[in-house]
Amino acid sequence: MAVALKADPSIYSGLRSKRTSLGVSLARCIKPGVDSRGHPMIKMVGVVAGDAECYETFTELFDPVLRALHGGAEPPATAPQASSPEDCAALAT
């Protein structure tokens, strides 16, 4: 998260006033990374999605973080959705 924000500081200014329909803000998503400095030998992601909509609302931040985490692979166009335990089991396979 820090690497993405340092590389393009306009990400923060562009997203800081946005919220998902459930009220999740950018501040809530980046709080774990701000609160925990991590360890110099271990890279942390530093950003969490408060709900599924965060990936779309804050895509300018999540996409570069996910690319770095997965070795440059592009994130999927849409995240898989599950609305029941059976759907979750199907996603796991």
Side-chain angles (χ1 to χ4, degrees), residues 19-74:
R19 290 185 178 270
T20 67
S21 61
L22 293 177
V24 179
S25 65
L26 177 66
R28 181 153 319 244
C29 291
I30 65 172
K31 186 170 180 10
V34 172
D35 287 350
S36 176
R37 295 182 63 128
H39 187 278
M41 302 298 287
I42 302 170
K43 283 265 190 192
M44 289 182 45
V45 174
V47 63
V48 297
D51 61 29
E53 194 178 324
C54 287
Y55 293 107
E56 292 177 22
T57 304
F58 307 115
T59 191
E60 292 90 351
L61 176 60
F62 277 96
D63 283 358
V65 169
L66 291 172
R67 269 194 297 278
L69 183 65
H70 295 287
E74 286 296 316

Side-chain angles (χ1 to χ4, degrees), residues 2-20:
V3 172
L5 291 174
K6 285 180 184 176
D8 186 357
S10 68
I11 292 173
Y12 179 80
S13 59
L15 298 178
R16 68 180 179 180
S17 62
K18 291 186 177 184
R19 290 185 178 270
T20 67

